[in-house]
């Protein structure tokens, strides 16, 4: 099944609101981890965004889930990029 990399971009101005709403955001993501839809997720250490790896049938499935993220509902994501990713070696590869 395809893997999709989702890159969130944050601004420094949203940091307080992200801190306040992080438990709801992570609960949303953890539910998708438990379902097997998300493989892993985490913020960039410089505070500019985050990476989420989804396993899904198609990009439309991922794009349908993203608006349900509390960060998205609160307007805390400046930009997002969704791309299919093909790991050829290591943990996520199918070889």
């Amino acid at each position: 099944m395809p893997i999709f990399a989702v890159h969130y971009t944050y601004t420094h101005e949203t940091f307080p609101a992200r801190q306040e709403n992080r438990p709801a955001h992570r609960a949303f993501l953890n539910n998708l981890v438990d379902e097997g839809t998300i493989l892993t997720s985490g913020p960039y250490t410089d505070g500019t965004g985050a990476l989420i790896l989804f396993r899904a049938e198609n990009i439309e499935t991922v794009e349908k889930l993203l608006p349900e993220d509390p960060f998205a509902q609160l307007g805390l994501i400046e930009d997002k990029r969704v791309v299919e990713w093909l790991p050829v070696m290591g943990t996520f590869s199918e070889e």
Side-chain angles (χ1 to χ4, degrees), residues 8-25:
Y8 280 174
T9 302
Y10 304 137
T11 63
H12 293 291
E13 292 78 22
T14 63
F15 179 76
R18 284 186 284 117
Q19 287 290 93
E20 179 182 336
N21 294 284
R22 183 164 282 129
H25 166 70

Side-chain angles (χ1 to χ4, degrees), residues 16-90:
R18 284 186 284 117
Q19 287 290 93
E20 179 182 336
N21 294 284
R22 183 164 282 129
H25 166 70
R26 287 193 174 165
F28 167 76
L29 296 176
N30 275 315
N31 285 335
L32 293 174
V33 168
D34 292 344
E35 293 174 5
T37 303
I38 287 182
L39 300 172
T40 191
S41 177
Y44 300 131
T45 59
D46 65 0
T48 62
L51 172 66
I52 309 167
L53 294 182
F54 282 79
R55 179 164 281 154
E57 289 291 330
N58 52 53
I59 197 168
E60 291 81 13
T61 300
V62 176
E63 290 178 338
K64 184 178 174 184
L65 288 169
L66 293 175
E68 297 176 21
D69 185 337
F71 276 10
Q73 292 176 344
L74 295 166
L76 302 177
I77 301 165
E78 178 71 18
D79 194 21
K80 73 176 180 314
R81 179 174 182 236
V82 182
V83 293
E84 188 171 348
W85 179 56
L86 180 63
V88 296
M89 60 186 79

